Amino acid sequence: MEIVYVYVKKRSEFGRQCNFSDRPAELHVDILPDPSLAANFIDRDPCDVPIQCTQEMSEHEVSLLSTIHVPYGLKMLIKPGTMAPPVLSADVNPQEMEQTIRYRKKVEKDENYVNTILQLGSVSVTVKSVKFDRKVSSIFSWILSLFRDPNEVKRTATSLSWHPDGSQKLAVAYSSLEFQKVSKDMSYDSYIWDIEVSNKPEMTLKPVSPLVCLEYNPKDSHILVGGSYNGQIAYWDTRKGSQPVEMSTIEHSHRDPVYKVIWLQSKTGTDFFSASTDGQVLWWDIRKMSEPTERLVLDPSKKGKLDQALGAISLEFETTMPTKFMVGTEQGMVVSCNRKAKTPAEKIVCTYSGHHGPIYSLQRNPFFPKNFLTVGDWTARIWSEDIRESSIMWTKYQTAYLSDGCWSPVRPSVFFTVKMDGTLDVWDFLFKQNDPTLSIKVCDEALYSMRVQDNGRFLGCGSELGTTTLLEISSGLCTLQRNEKALATAMFERETKREKILEARHRELRLKERSRSEQSKEDETKETEGEESAEELVARAEREFYEMVEAEMKKREKDEKIEIDQVRNGVC
């Protein structure tokens, strides 16, 4: 959807093209000088003439102002005695109570009023649905601006970060995530955009390797930290220019692309940590970027082996839980960790399994930190910290792959997801559980990243071709509804209780199955103990054979001895 298109053209190229040709000079008018007019002028000496060294350009800007539509109620009246469509009464103001009561009494005195009401009884359901649809009509959004990658070789908008003060700026990281398909002409630059000016970026960030993730410092809006495709970490100070202030050394950096960086809640405001598919989580301080301050290997066996570590794709850190953090892996598992544990093995607390592919997004609910959202494969899942076997809520499998998602910062029951078919889905599980409340076809190419402004009003989506789309969400989706927290709490508690019951039942079935298998193993061992092995049978057969042969030989010797004795006695 084209919103703004910039035309850049030299002023000399406007209008009809001028064609020149050589021809003899012609004198049309000859005006001779009049010396008497010289008395009216004064010679200027010296004479200063300002000129510009650059080409003259023409620029024209158009600002599209968003219009807020406020719905006003109109009283709909139906002609008595007919089933005709309702007409509007222009004489009755629904805001004036006296006019409304006066007109109601007038209508009720009509002789056809009762018959008309009885005839309209079957339409009451339709009237309710009209009222319901009017409520739904307040849930919508529209596209405000498009921020396109200004380079010829387009790259994917892999990460978005809103400016912490006022949120009038949006930092976008650009990188190509296709393995070994990086063009030589591809730019490494990332940009900071002013949402009011979509023609050109406000500032350019120049890393040594394309940025995969980028994050503003919430305590100092001039500081940004980014993770590169080659595994290095760099930070910028917008007051010092486009070049990074300091970078991590290659030997102490990640070995794979850095997919996520998050600032920590600290007194200095200079600490952050990063995650990569090399299986490491590293903690950093921008005052000393030469090496990380701490390191954790995501080895599920808790032996600290890097070759067995799980590759990290997403990170989650809640400021109200300063010692806890969570990691989403490319194997489809969520690893819950505790930074302040005594040993590296104790830092990995538990794991949650439920996705069939990489977990691209992981975030705790801002209102209920014990519940967190994961986005991966074809589903989005909501988990409870107390249930490790399964998620408590999940969307049905979508036709397109999900690439990112996040919670609404102002509504506890609303979350957003983006898909590979260019669609943005808005989910409100208090309104619908099986289908999204709102689906928007943002663009034709795949969407890879998204980020919601802190006030929940604006939302940015980054696409595969580097186009960042800025959308404005209607007030119905970014305003806390009445009793929404209580309803969301009841929903989470109910689903958690249900999953606990199912988990206990599954555990009981597993114990029964285990006891059965152990009993069958014991029976098998008893049977094997009662039966002799093949070697024992052969040995016993040989022993019995030799015993029989020996017995036969002894018997023959005895018989021969008896015969000899008999012969001797007969001779005598």
Side-chain angles (χ1 to χ4, degrees):
M1 181 177 179
E2 296 290 342
I3 303 299
V4 176
Y5 192 86
V6 182
Y7 293 90
V8 179
K9 202 172 186 181
K10 293 183 180 179
R11 185 62 186 90
S12 59
E13 295 176 0
F14 281 92
R16 185 177 179 182
Q17 184 179 2
C18 298
N19 297 322
F20 298 95
S21 61
D22 295 333
R23 66 177 183 177
E26 297 179 4
L27 180 62
H28 295 283
V29 179
D30 186 8
I31 301 176
L32 299 175
D34 186 359
S36 62
L37 298 177
N40 298 330
F41 297 90
I42 300 175
D43 292 337
R44 175 184 288 181
D45 189 17
C47 183
D48 297 330
V49 180
I51 61 173
Q52 293 288 341
C53 298
T54 60
Q55 298 178 353
E56 293 184 0
M57 309 288 286
S58 177
E59 182 181 357
H60 182 65
E61 294 183 359
V62 177
S63 177
L64 300 177
L65 300 177
S66 59
T67 305
I68 300 176
H69 300 275
V70 181
Y72 290 98
L74 295 174
K75 189 173 183 64
M76 294 194 299
L77 303 174
I78 299 177
K79 294 180 180 180
T82 65
M83 291 299 293
V87 297
L88 298 177
S89 174
D91 299 332
V92 179
N93 185 3
Q95 305 295 333
E96 295 292 336
M97 184 63 67
E98 295 181 0
Q99 295 184 18
T100 306
I101 296 174
R102 192 183 305 115
Y103 193 84
R104 186 185 298 116
K105 291 181 179 180
K106 178 181 176 181
V107 173
E108 289 175 354
K109 290 179 182 180
D110 197 300
E111 57 183 6
N112 295 324
Y113 172 75
V114 176
N115 296 330
T116 304
I117 293 298
L118 293 176
Q119 292 176 4
L120 293 176
S122 60
V123 195
S124 60
V125 177
T126 307
V127 174
K128 290 182 180 179
S129 66
V130 170
K131 182 178 179 182
F132 185 76
D133 289 341
R134 182 180 173 185
K135 178 182 178 181
V136 177
S137 65
S138 63
I139 300 175
F140 58 91
S141 68
W142 58 88
I143 297 176
L144 292 181
S145 299
L146 299 177
F147 307 100
R148 291 186 174 86
D149 184 3
N151 298 280
E152 294 183 2
V153 180
K154 302 303 180 184
R155 305 158 297 162
T156 303
T158 54
S159 178
L160 309 177
S161 179
W162 286 99
H163 193 279
D165 298 335
S167 297
Q168 289 296 315
K169 298 178 183 179
L170 182 65
V172 184
Y174 297 88
S175 178
S176 177
L177 299 179
E178 296 183 3
F179 182 64
Q180 291 185 347
K181 290 187 178 181
V182 179
S183 173
K184 295 181 180 179
D185 300 330
M186 190 187 75
S187 173
Y188 290 174
D189 297 345
S190 293
Y191 304 103
I192 299 175
W193 298 86
D194 188 335
I195 64 174
E196 299 292 340
V197 182
S198 61
N199 297 341
K200 60 180 181 180
E202 183 182 81
M203 186 176 180
T204 303
L205 305 178
K206 294 185 175 296
V208 297
S209 178
L211 292 180
V212 181
C213 56
L214 188 62
E215 199 72 30
Y216 268 108
N217 188 338
K219 286 192 174 182
D220 188 351
S221 59
H222 299 286
I223 304 295
L224 295 97
V225 65
S228 303
Y229 190 81
N230 66 351
Q232 287 183 281
I233 307 290
Y235 86 92
W236 283 262
D237 190 335
T238 56
R239 296 164 294 188
K240 297 182 180 180
S242 300
Q243 299 296 330
V245 178
E246 194 173 353
M247 295 178 57
S248 62
T249 56
I250 294 180
E251 58 269 19
H252 294 293
S253 301
H254 290 282
R255 302 180 183 181
D256 282 353
V258 183
Y259 280 92
K260 189 66 176 178
V261 290
I262 293 182
W263 290 94
L264 295 171
Q265 189 78 11
S266 61
K267 295 180 180 179
T268 59
T270 58
D271 299 324
F272 66 95
F273 66 126
S274 59
S276 170
T277 49
D278 63 352
Q280 297 183 99
V281 178
L282 305 180
W283 283 263
W284 304 86
D285 191 332
I286 62 174
R287 296 173 298 181
K288 184 184 177 183
M289 293 289 292
S290 58
E291 59 180 356
T293 58
E294 195 174 342
R295 186 186 304 266
L296 174 63
V297 177
L298 296 174
D299 182 6
S301 63
K302 299 182 180 181
K303 296 180 181 179
K305 295 182 178 180
L306 193 59
D307 56 348
Q308 299 179 2
L310 303 174
I313 292 287
S314 53
L315 270 178
E316 208 293 322
F317 174 73
E318 174 61 36
T319 55
T320 58
M321 303 176 180
T323 61
K324 292 184 178 181
F325 67 95
M326 306 180 80
V327 184
T329 65
E330 58 183 350
Q331 288 79 13
M333 297 174 59
V334 176
V335 183
S336 178
C337 306
N338 185 1
R339 185 186 178 187
K340 297 300 181 182
K342 296 180 180 179
T343 62
E346 294 177 354
K347 289 185 178 181
I348 299 178
V349 180
C350 62
T351 59
Y352 303 84
S353 300
H355 285 281
H356 307 295
I359 298 176
Y360 292 110
S361 179
L362 171 63
Q363 186 186 12
R364 291 184 185 271
N365 190 301
F367 296 87
F368 307 101
K370 283 191 175 183
N371 299 100
F372 57 93
L373 171 73
T374 59
V375 175
D377 52 62
W378 299 269
T379 61
R381 297 176 178 270
I382 300 175
W383 303 73
S384 173
E385 277 191 344
D386 302 331
I387 307 296
R388 301 179 184 179
E389 299 294 329
S390 172
S391 54
I392 61 173
M393 299 169 65
W394 57 88
T395 65
K396 63 181 181 181
Y397 282 83
Q398 306 295 308
T399 56
Y401 209 76
L402 272 66
S403 54
D404 202 358
C406 64
W407 287 102
S408 169
V410 292
R411 291 193 57 187
S413 64
V414 174
F415 64 92
F416 307 89
T417 58
V418 291
K419 298 186 291 188
M420 289 292 187
D421 60 355
T423 304
L424 166 68
D425 290 335
V426 184
W427 300 81
D428 185 351
F429 59 77
L430 294 180
F431 180 63
K432 284 183 181 180
Q433 285 81 34
N434 296 327
D435 298 307
T437 304
L438 178 66
S439 291
I440 307 166
K441 182 68 174 178
V442 178
C443 57
D444 294 330
E445 65 263 19
L447 293 175
Y448 271 83
S449 58
M450 68 170 299
R451 198 69 175 267
V452 183
Q453 201 181 32
D454 290 339
N455 58 11
R457 189 71 176 178
F458 297 105
L459 184 147
C461 299
S463 73
E464 182 182 11
L465 298 181
T467 301
T468 303
T469 306
L470 180 64
L471 299 96
E472 184 173 357
I473 306 299
S474 64
S475 59
L477 289 171
C478 61
T479 304
L480 187 65
Q481 304 297 314
R482 183 181 180 183
N483 297 329
E484 184 173 356
K485 288 185 179 180
L487 293 174
T489 303
M491 176 78 77
F492 286 144
E493 290 179 352
R494 185 191 70 190
E495 296 301 322
T496 303
K497 184 178 180 180
R498 179 179 64 86
E499 286 298 327
K500 282 184 178 180
I501 294 173
L502 292 176
E503 185 177 350
R505 178 59 179 166
H506 286 310
R507 192 182 300 113
E508 183 180 351
L509 293 175
R510 285 197 300 268
L511 289 174
K512 289 183 179 179
E513 187 67 25
R514 189 182 302 171
S515 62
R516 289 176 184 174
S517 62
E518 290 177 356
Q519 185 67 29
S520 61
K521 287 181 180 179
E522 290 178 1
D523 295 340
E524 290 177 358
T525 53
K526 288 181 180 179
E527 291 177 359
T528 54
E529 288 177 358
E531 297 178 357
E532 294 178 337
S533 64
E535 295 178 354
E536 292 177 349
L537 289 172
V538 172
R540 187 163 63 87
E542 289 179 354
R543 188 172 60 253
E544 290 178 355
F545 174 75
Y546 286 121
E547 288 177 355
M548 290 174 63
V549 171
E550 187 177 358
E552 187 67 23
M553 292 177 66
K554 288 181 178 180
K555 183 179 179 182
R556 287 182 180 181
E557 289 178 357
K558 186 176 181 180
D559 292 341
E560 289 177 357
K561 188 177 181 182
I562 292 173
E563 289 179 359
I564 292 171
D565 291 340
Q566 289 177 356
V567 171
R568 286 178 180 176
N569 294 330
V571 172
C572 293

